[in-house]
Amino acid sequence: MQAALQNYLARMQRVLDHIDRHLDDDLDLDALSSVAAYSKYHFHRQFTATFGLSVHRYIQLARMKRASYRLGYGDAESVTDIAMDAGYDAPDAFARAFRQRCGQSPSSFRRSPDWGAWLMAFGPLDNARRKLMQIIFTRDDVTIRDVPPTPVAIMEHRGDRATLGATIQRFIAWRKAAGLSPETSPTFNVFRSERCPAVAADYSMDICVGTDQPIDANDEQMKAGVIPGGRCAVLRYPGNTNNLEPAALYLYREWLPASGEEARDFPVYCQRRLSFSPEMAVPEIIVELFLPLK
């Protein structure tokens, strides 16, 4: 039974990978059911049952998410070209769909993205993709690395995690105004509390961007700091996620006691690097979790 389930999940993963690589193609049921090696008469029901989204809705969201990256991170392409690549025959149809999904027009999003609304808008797509990810970490997934100290600009989030989206929105607006693109300046999250502390108001996290540029002394949002260098246990997460707690628990509960290592006096943190170009179907986001060691 377990082997049959793994085979089923692998076939569905092939479909997601095919969609990612061929967003500009005609992704009809014939093509996708062939990739999965299932009958087209049942494939769409299987897909919906597995991911909680229809094939059509999944592809629509994937194309819209790619369009949002192109709007947010590139100024060279016209809205019309982005709309056509997203599968719309006219920019006004794309604009209506984009506003309905993201709460902003494409031109407004390009000028000043509401990233909090954006995170919620594409939550169903991210949730669908995670349904296949039954991740089991092993010792071979962890490497020990000497990392250099990294100067950063820090925005502190203190308080209920339910308000984190607003902090993320302010952070992204600040880094964009500062010209610190995610493609060239890595993002760090320093976890100073549990993901779900007993008292919600005790949640604490620093959101950082790698930069050595000076921070204005009158800047009330950001402060300068350093991610300290030294030895770290590094666990790379296979795909993007907003929940690294399972990976952190593996490092603390299983890897660290068996390793003979001792944790250093600095919180666990993660680094996110975004690799994106107009030629890519979706951006590649690399997520690594760091446990500082003595």
Side-chain angles (χ1 to χ4, degrees):
M1 289 291 291
Q2 186 65 25
L5 175 60
Q6 292 301 319
N7 178 261
Y8 175 84
L9 296 178
R11 290 159 83 174
M12 285 299 185
Q13 184 65 59
R14 286 204 305 268
V15 174
L16 299 192
D17 293 341
H18 181 86
I19 291 172
D20 285 349
R21 293 192 302 267
H22 298 88
L23 276 179
D24 293 323
D25 296 347
D26 183 12
L27 295 168
D28 58 20
L29 281 178
D30 286 334
L32 295 179
S33 61
S34 177
V35 171
Y38 285 122
S39 164
K40 70 176 180 179
Y41 299 105
H42 301 291
F43 169 72
H44 68 288
R45 293 185 180 89
Q46 291 172 289
F47 189 97
T48 302
T50 301
F51 298 109
L53 294 172
S54 69
V55 178
H56 173 75
R57 189 61 173 154
Y58 182 92
I59 294 170
Q60 188 179 51
L61 283 172
R63 286 171 172 163
M64 186 69 77
K65 188 173 185 180
R66 180 181 65 171
S68 72
Y69 275 106
R70 291 181 172 178
L71 288 167
Y73 295 122
D75 297 324
E77 291 184 283
S78 69
V79 174
T80 298
D81 288 340
I82 293 173
M84 296 300 182
D85 286 344
Y88 291 84
D89 295 330
D92 57 340
F94 170 71
R96 285 195 299 271
F98 192 91
R99 182 186 291 276
Q100 184 178 16
R101 171 57 47 184
C102 298
Q104 292 180 278
S105 69
S107 56
S108 174
F109 184 87
R110 170 167 273 176
R111 289 194 303 270
S112 181
D114 182 346
W115 291 107
W118 181 88
L119 287 169
M120 295 184 63
F122 294 103
L125 182 65
D126 295 335
N127 289 338
R129 296 180 70 92
R130 281 197 293 269
K131 289 183 185 296
L132 291 185
M133 299 190 71
Q134 302 175 358
I135 300 172
I136 299 175
F137 298 107
T138 69
R139 290 183 59 83
D140 291 339
D141 295 321
V142 181
T143 59
I144 295 180
R145 190 186 306 169
D146 282 308
V147 301
T150 304
V152 292
I154 303 170
M155 180 175 288
E156 298 177 338
H157 177 88
R158 303 292 184 265
D160 196 331
R161 192 171 179 275
T163 64
L164 180 59
T167 305
I168 293 173
Q169 182 180 346
R170 292 194 302 273
F171 172 78
I172 295 177
W174 185 92
R175 76 178 295 166
K176 190 166 187 178
L180 300 173
S181 166
E183 296 179 40
T184 56
S185 303
T187 302
F188 298 89
N189 300 142
V190 181
F191 304 107
R192 297 189 176 276
S193 73
E194 298 178 353
R195 178 179 172 85
C196 297
V199 178
D202 290 340
Y203 182 77
S204 179
M205 182 178 77
D206 296 342
I207 311 175
C208 315
V209 57
T211 179
D212 56 3
Q213 71 180 36
I215 306 299
D216 191 328
N218 295 319
D219 193 326
E220 297 180 353
Q221 299 189 90
M222 306 295 288
K223 67 178 185 180
V226 175
I227 302 291
R231 296 173 69 247
C232 289
V234 184
L235 177 57
R236 180 166 174 168
Y237 196 91
N240 188 31
T241 181
N242 292 321
N243 182 9
L244 285 166
E245 188 172 37
L249 289 176
Y250 171 77
L251 285 176
Y252 280 117
R253 288 180 179 175
E254 299 183 45
W255 183 87
L256 188 61
S259 69
E261 297 284 349
E262 189 174 348
R264 189 168 12 119
D265 189 18
F266 188 79
V268 66
Y269 65 94
C270 80
Q271 179 180 359
R272 300 176 190 269
R273 299 195 302 276
L274 176 64
S275 176
F276 174 79
S277 70
E279 293 76 22
M280 295 172 63
V282 293
E284 179 186 11
I285 301 178
I286 300 170
V287 183
E288 292 181 317
L289 190 66
F290 292 75
L291 174 61
L293 303 173
K294 289 185 176 179

